Amino acid sequence: MSGLATFIDVVIPIAIPNLLTYRVPRELEGHVQFGQRVVVQLGRSKLYTAVVHRVHDQPPQAYEAKYIESLLDEVPIVTKKQMRLWEWMAEYYMCTLGEVLGSALPSSLKLASETKIVAHPDIEELDASSLTDREFLLMEALELRKVLEIAEVAEILEIKTVQPIIKSLIEKGFATTEEELKHRYKPKTEERLSLHPRLENEDLLSEVFDQLEKRARKQSELLLCYLRERETQGDSIGKVALQKMAGVDSTVAKKLIEKEVFVSETVEIDRIGPFTGEHQQIKDLSDDQQRALQEIKDHYEDKDVVLLHGVTGSGKTEVYVKLIEECIARGEQVLYLLPEIALTTQLIQRLQKYFGDQIGVFHSKFNQQERAETWKRTMSAEANSYSIIMGARSSVFLPFRKLGLVIVDEEHESSFKQYDPAPRYNGRDAGVVLGMLHKAKVLLGSATPSIESYFNTTEGRYGLVEMKHRFGGVVLPEILTANIRKELQRKTMKSHFTSFLLEEMKEALERDEQIILFQNRRGYSPFWQCHTCGWVPECDRCDVSLTYHKHVHHLNCHYCGYTSSPPLKCQACGSHDLRSVGFGTEKIEEDLKELFPEARVARMDLDTTRSKNAYQNILRSFDLHEIDILVGTQMVTKGLDFERVSLVGVLNADQMLKFPDFRAYERAFQLMTQVAGRAGRKHKRGKVIIQTYDPEHWVIHQVIDNDYDAMYRREVIERKEYKYPPHTRLIKLNMRHRNEGFLRASAHELAAQLRQHLGDRVVGPEAPYVARINNQYHQNILLKVERTASPAQFKKVLQDTIDNFRQDKEKRAIRFVPDVDPA
Ligand code: ADP
Ligand code: ZN
Ligand code: ZN
């Protein structure tokens, strides 16, 4: 065997620690390069799509390299910078590069053995003559069997490597993946109408029109509608849209095509759809915005990251817009990261008005084909390429050509962090690293910055720019407290409402103004309880009470998804007096219907926004003032911008303040400040009422004074004492096993071993608040690693200790889940 054979190291998108080496067959030598996808076999029969990491000529030492099965791409679909980000992520967040790749690649780009293939629903319209024999054979099998796994395809075709054939069938539009079809199929073509060339002659056109008007009114209406729309839309107009406008059915267009008035053509449409809304001029900045913009640029002279701390409504977005405009004028791309994209459609639409089709939107609600398309349009330098990507955290995985600016909006949001599965990364922090790899500038924006980011400005790592006033002289809302304790003593509470809040609500409603009520999500689930002895039904598989959902009269476990109907008889005392108890948003909504029977009330939480457009629908109704009072969880604190909201109520501040988490005060401050920012945005000063047992609590004082700095200073001292971030980094090691005693003993043993190396940086083990989920017990060990030390070194100790620990056969059944910088 010649020593000069070509080998490649590949990344397979699954959790295996090492890169694997494969051999390139003679005929492909010289064609395989970094960033292309290849199909490789792993184990006996499994085939995977892998990405080439390195091409070399060294055979592996420990095993005989297999040949790759096939090469899928002619050009790389992954860039070097992407790979460097992924490698950083694997290292930093303690997972495998394969796991990162698994998250990063849209699934239509990584067919695996288990992928299920189905015939495409648009198949009728396609011309099968373009298919090769094998493709044709596969098509026939698909039409017969409906669904085929890739492994089955191999059997049918009697060849091993079927990925290229499947890929080609998918590209030609004959097949798709089952996942795709089930969840997100959208037609890819559209029928469009244009005027028959013979009617270019205007006299003839008006003759035809006159005839139609006399004998076929509907046809004349459709033609008229077409002629009107042509003025703005151009010659070719979508048939369905036109029919709708003219109010006619499809037989009308058919007749006009027969009469040679229209010609019809079927065109491929961009799945993502061109932007069709109105365009808007970018706004001129106010003096304060201009100053902020200049300060940002000044910082960029010697810093890569700037934190823009601006109160809600200060006009941060317009400052971003100016920076974006300048960046794309230089021919560079912009990544605009948003915490929960579904909640930010208003913002996306706002930017689309400025930048139109230059914006690509990317998040998990898009289907795989759309994501693959965005991938391509981010990477390509062609005319349709994207200059701006607005997206959720997963947009950091895209193949940017030349990134010039990364904006992280609402940078303090904990939803930037991915909990499950690995990589458990923070989109903000990954965005900063991505910016560094591209030598791009990074702008973090927030009205309530995270303690970590603010700390970085005080240490000089990040620049700090502040905007302390709302745009257009709008004043910040007046914030008042309502004392729950006192009202309880005076017996003036009605259900969960103080008389003070009720009075203000009544007045706002009388003035025909809107109200937002905020109820923190955590710990407020309503439950089902025996009124005689207090028994509460719990989940069989988890250590939690089941949550009661009134609208469906069902009990549900929020951890494992178990559902059941509420028992009619108490399992403890046998009483039949069971009822729902609690203080969820659902309960509040109910109370409101009694307290304000006239008012139109809506609720916005995870339950009411589960279906696809539910969130948008609630927002639209609220915007149209079809709703007077909106009750919601965290969701209502997000960037909503409504004119008529004059009153915001925080129903119980104490629940946030008492939460057992070192970030509780920071979070409480952020949540209350953000929700307060929804009051009185344009016309008049808004009012915020915070209900609490403890109006003198220092966090509430800082919220009232809108004094972030004071909150920060106090927090940062407190955290130093207890060795919490920003002074340290946390690594949480979660361990899971079915046997509680065994797990606890093992966790103690591991913690002791870790302590030998890391001393009192090791805290625990401790059972988490919910100690059993889906019949798996949990134990957590926490590492507090000082900022000044290299985290890599500690992670290595941790990993080595775990690996060593797992030498023991019994302990191998324990699952270890490290979480770096847990949220
Ligand atoms: P933030 O992002 O800081 O919460 P926004 O950018 O949403 O603030 O601005 C608040 C409001 O002020 C918005 O309604 C926005 O349209 C308006 N606004 C901000 N800057 C300008 C400007 N330069 N000219 C006109 N209107 C502006
Ligand atoms: Zn009972
Ligand atoms: Zn459960």
Side-chain angles (χ1 to χ4, degrees), residues 429-440:
D429 300 339
V432 170
V433 174
L434 178 68
M436 264 154 42
L437 289 172
H438 280 264
K439 298 195 168 40

Side-chain angles (χ1 to χ4, degrees), residues 539-544 546 557-562 772-774:
C539 179
D540 287 343
R541 295 178 279 194
C542 313
D543 285 347
V544 286
L546 293 167
C557 171
H558 281 188
Y559 286 84
C560 73
Y562 168 84
R772 182 179 56 119
I773 298 173
N774 223 345

Side-chain angles (χ1 to χ4, degrees), residues 449-586:
S450 63
I451 299 276
E452 279 92 339
S453 294
Y454 203 85
F455 181 72
N456 278 330
T457 70
T458 63
E459 299 273 292
R461 277 190 290 272
Y462 296 175
L464 175 67
V465 175
E466 299 190 277
M467 294 170 78
K468 297 204 156 144
H469 306 285
R470 281 183 159 184
F471 177 82
V474 179
V475 274
L476 284 165
E478 178 186 14
I479 303 178
L480 304 162
T481 53
N483 192 328
I484 299 178
R485 193 187 308 274
K486 283 218 177 103
E487 291 222 11
L488 278 174
Q489 284 162 1
R490 285 194 221 118
K491 303 205 172 10
T492 50
M493 292 284 290
K494 281 207 180 111
S495 183
H496 300 292
F497 292 87
T498 56
S499 61
F500 181 35
L501 177 58
L502 284 179
E503 194 52 40
E504 291 289 336
M505 287 175 69
K506 194 165 139 246
E507 284 171 24
L509 290 173
E510 276 164 9
R511 291 190 302 263
D512 209 20
E513 292 162 352
Q514 289 176 297
I515 300 167
I516 291 178
L517 295 179
F518 168 72
Q519 170 65 296
N520 191 37
R521 176 175 54 215
R522 285 170 136 167
Y524 269 133
S525 308
F527 50 93
W528 189 249
Q529 191 177 36
C530 169
H531 210 62
T532 311
C533 77
W535 175 78
V536 174
E538 292 190 346
C539 179
D540 287 343
R541 295 178 279 194
C542 313
D543 285 347
V544 286
S545 316
L546 293 167
T547 301
Y548 177 66
H549 293 268
K550 185 175 169 76
H551 55 300
V552 288
H553 189 58
H554 235 81
L555 297 178
N556 175 246
C557 171
H558 281 188
Y559 286 84
C560 73
Y562 168 84
T563 63
S564 72
S565 9
L568 299 172
K569 198 174 140 185
C570 172
Q571 286 176 19
C573 77
S575 155
H576 286 268
D577 188 11
L578 290 106
R579 15 181 141 160
S580 67
V581 191
F583 187 34
T585 41
E586 199 167 328

Side-chain angles (χ1 to χ4, degrees), residues 551-622:
H551 55 300
V552 288
H553 189 58
H554 235 81
L555 297 178
N556 175 246
C557 171
H558 281 188
Y559 286 84
C560 73
Y562 168 84
T563 63
S564 72
S565 9
L568 299 172
K569 198 174 140 185
C570 172
Q571 286 176 19
C573 77
S575 155
H576 286 268
D577 188 11
L578 290 106
R579 15 181 141 160
S580 67
V581 191
F583 187 34
T585 41
E586 199 167 328
K587 176 77 168 61
I588 292 164
E589 187 189 14
E590 218 174 280
D591 289 346
L592 287 171
K593 282 181 182 152
E594 256 167 52
L595 292 163
F596 301 101
E598 308 285 283
R600 295 159 300 176
V601 181
R603 177 160 65 95
M604 185 152 79
D605 55 27
L606 278 179
D607 275 330
T608 61
T609 55
R610 206 154 276 160
S611 75
K612 204 163 169 221
N613 294 317
Y615 177 78
Q616 258 72 288
N617 291 342
I618 296 174
L619 284 191
R620 192 171 325 113
S621 287
F622 196 60

